[in-house]
Amino acid sequence: MLATFGLLVLMVLPSVIGIVRERRIDRQIREAQEARGRGEEKQPQKSSSRSTVPSTATWYAEGRRSKKLVNS
């Protein structure tokens, strides 16, 4: 009888763990939607004002790549 009960627990346990996990995820999604509805969403990340210039290594690699394409 005890072995049968143990097998039953082993077979039901993954389902119970999955149900608990799904409920937690649903709650997190619901809380995020409510926060978004109240306007508590994060501000978008600001881009830096510095202009980006490719490094010498990037420039050199691009030059060699284009030469390989022309030669082949």
Side-chain angles (χ1 to χ4, degrees), residues 41-60:
E41 60 189 44
K42 293 181 179 179
Q43 296 295 326
Q45 185 177 0
K46 296 180 181 178
S47 63
S48 81
S49 58
R50 261 181 47 201
S51 65
T52 57
V53 179
S55 68
T56 306
T58 305
W59 172 80
Y60 179 74

Side-chain angles (χ1 to χ4, degrees), residues 31-43:
E31 288 173 357
Q33 287 174 340
E34 289 173 0
R36 177 177 273 181
R38 290 189 305 251
E40 294 179 4
E41 60 189 44
K42 293 181 179 179
Q43 296 295 326

Side-chain angles (χ1 to χ4, degrees), residues 2 13 16 19-20 24 32 35 37-38 50-51 53 58 62 64:
L2 187 61
L13 189 62
V16 171
I19 291 169
V20 170
R24 186 189 73 216
R38 290 189 305 251
R50 261 181 47 201
S51 65
V53 179
T58 305
E62 286 176 358
R64 288 187 52 91

Side-chain angles (χ1 to χ4, degrees), residues 4-28:
T4 304
F5 182 71
L7 285 173
L8 177 67
V9 168
L10 284 175
M11 292 178 70
V12 172
L13 189 62
S15 297
V16 171
I17 291 172
I19 291 169
V20 170
R21 185 171 177 239
E22 288 290 325
R23 293 185 86 189
R24 186 189 73 216
I25 292 170
D26 288 343
R27 181 179 36 106
Q28 290 174 343

